[in-house]
Amino acid sequence: MQALNFVPNRLAGSLAARTSRIVPVIVPTMANSIFSDFIEEVTLQLDAAGFMAAFGCSNFDPDYEQRLLKSFLGWHPSAVILTGGTESFRALCAGAEFPVIEAWSLPARPIDRVVGFSNFRALHSMVLALQDWGYEKIGFGYIDTPANERTEQRRQGWEAALRERGKQPEASRTQGGWLSMEDGGMILRTLLERHPDTDAIAFASDVLAVGAILECHRLGLRVPEDMAITGCGDMDLSIIVNPALTTVHVPGRQLGRTCAQMIMQLSEGTYDGPKTIELGTSLIRRGSA
Amino acid sequence: MQALNFVPNRLAGSLAARTSRIVPVIVPTMANSIFSDFIEEVTLQLDAAGFMAAFGCSNFDPDYEQRLLKSFLGWHPSAVILTGGTESFRALCAGAEFPVIEAWSLPARPIDRVVGFSNFRALHSMVLALQDWGYEKIGFGYIDTPANERTEQRRQGWEAALRERGKQPEASRTQGGWLSMEDGGMILRTLLERHPDTDAIAFASDVLAVGAILECHRLGLRVPEDMAITGCGDMDLSIIVNPALTTVHVPGRQLGRTCAQMIMQLSEGTYDGPKTIELGTSLIRRGSA
DNA sequence: GTGAAAGCGCTAACAT
DNA sequence: ATGTTAGCGCTTTCAC
């Protein structure tokens, strides 16, 4: 029939079949390689099953995020993977005829399915450990982006861990701003100004934590003797910085694989797992705390 | 008309209009944030013009890369952005009715359009500088993935710079393997074994270079006194490591923007630039050399 | 200018 | 089993 190079028109195919095998994935950022393992794994797994992952990047902007999803919806996706977790998605996905997976957190009121981990417990266990290691005045450093459920849950984890031991929580944050190392340094300075007796800061992200360690070097503060720093994410950065970062490992690749498998099995009707899958995190102690 | 939530079927629209406004982008890897700025910028720019960027990740596998492109072709894309640069693309794209952009390098025999920079000159100027700074025996460290034009051109740049000054090139590499920091350390050890008098290594990538610096710490080698290390890419990692990495800045974000603009203007018929756009790199001297 | 009709290239349901 | 046909939801063209 075709000597070579006949490519079936998937637009026609998808239109007729009423499903496109497109799987949009919306992430808040492509920078910092936070989601890169996740993205890579989702792409790989889905592609092997004939699905096409299509990535959208919201830059932590809920409005844009919503337009993005709306636009993706026009492709009649086979499934959707959301990592933003804004409430605005709920309406758009209401009555969707395809699976909607929220990844990277455990929403209190899920839209449909979830493949996540507890952001609360990630920081809760870190701050408990920090107290066990003898740190007294533990701050929290984060970026306050709108509708960021993940960060908010981490903040609550930190706060709860302190209150359980009768301590008063003090946090510092940068409003908006993209997640950058500079912000980490800024947060450190602010917190130190307001609370000079701070001896440890748990950051909501490795990126911020690494920035803070670099700032400590500039300020002449020894890590962890003068100031302990911890992150969350276990990104590449964390073993490069000196001292290496004590952090929480987040199973990005495994989350990706789990999402992809759920979608593939759902599409074949062979999925028999629960609607919500929780993956574990683990505390990794290195030199910075 | 629609109170809320009517989403036009883009499959039908694209089928009828014979163009989908999908722009596939194929990159070799999502890891290490090498391409993350590029990806983010392409997504953002194209989305604003109603195009949808769809990313595929080849993992440096030419076969898979080709299947990926074939699969993308079935969506009747409005344009295609390629960063792999394998010859196998040429046949698939022959007589394509849409623009094909090769990004991140300057291919000797372009398929169609290119938005790139000179990988040759990136390393050539670095190695020239290294010699100006007094380094005598300069090695080259790289990963030998199949059909990786970018790395090969960087290798040639290093070789040419040495030969121009009458030196003999000695390189070390890892076969296959994904681009990881571990590989950087391995390359360092191999090169040191074979040529103990090496006083500088120019790496084809920041990732390898940072891995090598970490390995130097383990080996008790001072950087740059005992061993100078340079990278290529100017990724986030490069300012975290100690000493900070001397490297070549690659304009990832600008490449992304330029690709997107070319595609948008081409689709409106308002593009009047050249078929090939070359962007510049710049040498950034930090502490590691 | 506005409105009806043809058809994009497939899939799926039906008839043979 | 194989062949035929209707129609997916739009865009575009052509007639009015």
Side-chain angles (χ1 to χ4, degrees):
Chain A
M1 186 67 189
Q2 40 276 34
L4 219 65
N5 277 0
F6 167 75
V7 181
N9 187 334
R10 297 193 69 170
L11 294 165
S14 300
L15 179 61
R18 295 172 164 72
T19 179
S20 64
R21 298 189 87 79
I22 288 181
V23 178
V25 183
I26 297 182
V27 293
T29 176
M30 297 271 191
N32 307 125
S33 76
I34 299 175
F35 292 101
S36 63
D37 279 353
F38 177 76
I39 288 174
E40 191 168 297
E41 196 67 26
V42 168
T43 313
L44 248 43
Q45 299 282 334
L46 286 183
D47 180 276
F51 291 92
M52 185 176 95
F55 294 91
C57 177
S58 73
N59 287 305
F60 295 101
D61 176 345
D63 281 356
Y64 180 60
E65 201 170 45
Q66 186 159 359
R67 290 198 303 106
L68 212 49
L69 179 57
K70 214 174 224 160
S71 151
F72 276 136
L73 256 27
W75 293 106
H76 283 227
S78 291
V80 167
I81 300 176
L82 270 18
T83 58
T86 70
E87 276 299 309
S88 62
F89 285 152
R90 188 181 305 279
L92 280 175
C93 293
E97 68 282 15
F98 48 82
V100 175
I101 301 181
E102 290 170 277
W104 282 81
S105 69
L106 300 173
R109 208 160 64 91
I111 296 176
D112 179 16
R113 321 189 90 94
V114 1
V115 175
F117 60 92
S118 169
N119 288 278
F120 177 93
R121 278 201 293 284
L123 255 98
H124 185 259
S125 61
M126 174 62 88
V127 173
L128 248 26
L130 241 18
Q131 293 179 94
D132 288 342
W133 299 333
Y135 296 101
E136 290 284 333
K137 179 89 181 183
I138 302 167
F140 180 68
Y142 67 112
I143 304 269
D144 193 23
T145 46
N148 191 337
E149 195 178 33
R150 278 165 287 119
T151 294
E152 174 54 18
Q153 286 172 351
R154 290 177 195 186
R155 200 196 57 70
Q156 287 174 13
W158 156 81
E159 187 173 328
L162 287 186
R163 293 202 190 282
E164 280 168 29
R165 308 267 176 106
K167 303 268 182 181
Q168 200 57 33
E170 292 295 348
S172 181
R173 59 163 194 221
T174 302
Q175 290 268 9
W178 294 10
L179 196 60
S180 75
M181 292 197 286
E182 285 71 40
D183 290 319
M186 219 164 75
I187 290 168
L188 174 89
R189 285 197 311 273
T190 311
L191 202 45
L192 229 36
E193 229 164 74
R194 291 208 296 247
H195 306 280
D197 54 336
T198 301
D199 60 357
I201 306 177
F203 282 90
S205 160
D206 278 4
V207 177
L208 298 174
V210 168
I213 292 180
L214 262 25
E215 186 71 18
C216 283
H217 294 338
R218 273 177 232 119
L219 262 33
L221 290 169
R222 291 168 307 161
V223 179
E225 293 82 358
D226 301 326
M227 176 65 74
I229 301 282
T230 68
C232 184
D234 192 25
M235 299 163 48
D236 280 356
L237 313 175
S238 60
I239 59 162
I240 298 174
V241 75
N242 191 338
L245 191 65
T246 293
T247 189
V248 178
H249 176 77
V250 165
R253 193 165 288 278
Q254 207 186 329
L255 287 166
R257 182 167 25 239
T258 308
C259 284
Q261 274 166 2
M262 189 185 269
I263 289 169
M264 290 165 351
Q265 292 173 10
L266 242 21
S267 87
E268 307 169 342
T270 63
Y271 184 76
D272 61 351
K275 277 211 158 193
T276 291
I277 295 183
E278 177 178 353
L279 266 39
T281 58
S282 51
L283 207 154
I284 299 186
R285 187 172 194 184
R286 300 202 181 97
S288 72
Chain B
M1 186 65 190
Q2 39 276 35
L4 218 65
N5 277 359
F6 167 75
V7 181
N9 186 334
R10 297 194 69 170
L11 295 165
S14 300
L15 179 61
R18 293 172 167 71
T19 179
S20 63
R21 298 187 88 79
I22 288 181
V23 179
V25 183
I26 297 181
V27 293
T29 176
M30 297 271 192
N32 306 127
S33 77
I34 299 175
F35 292 102
S36 62
D37 279 353
F38 177 76
I39 288 174
E40 190 168 297
E41 196 68 26
V42 168
T43 312
L44 248 43
Q45 299 282 333
L46 286 183
D47 180 276
F51 291 93
M52 184 175 96
F55 294 91
C57 178
S58 73
N59 286 305
F60 295 102
D61 176 344
D63 282 357
Y64 181 60
E65 201 170 45
Q66 186 158 356
R67 289 199 303 107
L68 212 49
L69 179 58
K70 212 174 226 162
S71 150
F72 277 136
L73 256 28
W75 294 106
H76 284 229
S78 291
V80 167
I81 300 177
L82 269 18
T83 58
T86 71
E87 276 299 309
S88 62
F89 285 152
R90 188 180 305 281
L92 279 176
C93 293
E97 67 282 14
F98 48 81
V100 175
I101 302 182
E102 289 170 277
W104 283 80
S105 69
L106 300 173
R109 208 159 64 91
I111 296 177
D112 179 15
R113 321 190 90 94
V114 2
V115 176
F117 62 92
S118 170
N119 288 279
F120 178 94
R121 279 202 292 286
L123 255 99
H124 184 260
S125 61
M126 175 60 89
V127 174
L128 248 26
L130 241 16
Q131 293 179 94
D132 289 342
W133 299 334
Y135 296 102
E136 290 284 333
K137 179 91 180 181
I138 302 167
F140 179 68
Y142 66 112
I143 303 269
D144 193 24
T145 46
N148 191 336
E149 194 177 34
R150 278 164 288 118
T151 293
E152 174 54 18
Q153 287 172 351
R154 289 176 195 187
R155 201 196 56 72
Q156 288 175 12
W158 157 80
E159 187 172 330
L162 286 187
R163 292 201 190 282
E164 280 168 30
R165 308 266 176 106
K167 305 268 184 180
Q168 200 58 32
E170 293 293 350
S172 182
R173 60 164 193 221
T174 302
Q175 291 268 9
W178 294 10
L179 195 61
S180 74
M181 293 197 287
E182 285 71 39
D183 289 320
M186 218 162 77
I187 291 169
L188 174 89
R189 286 198 310 272
T190 311
L191 202 44
L192 229 37
E193 229 164 74
R194 292 208 296 247
H195 306 279
D197 54 336
T198 301
D199 60 356
I201 306 177
F203 282 90
S205 160
D206 277 4
V207 177
L208 298 174
V210 167
I213 292 180
L214 262 24
E215 186 70 19
C216 284
H217 293 338
R218 273 177 232 121
L219 263 32
L221 290 169
R222 291 168 308 161
V223 179
E225 293 82 357
D226 302 326
M227 176 65 74
I229 301 282
T230 68
C232 185
D234 192 25
M235 297 162 48
D236 280 356
L237 314 175
S238 60
I239 59 163
I240 297 174
V241 74
N242 190 339
L245 191 65
T246 293
T247 190
V248 178
H249 176 77
V250 165
R253 195 166 286 278
Q254 208 184 327
L255 287 166
R257 183 164 28 237
T258 308
C259 284
Q261 274 165 2
M262 189 184 269
I263 288 168
M264 287 162 359
Q265 291 172 12
L266 242 22
S267 87
E268 306 170 342
T270 62
Y271 184 74
D272 62 349
K275 275 211 159 193
T276 292
I277 296 184
E278 177 177 354
L279 265 40
T281 58
S282 52
L283 207 153
I284 300 185
R285 187 171 194 184
R286 299 201 181 97
S288 72

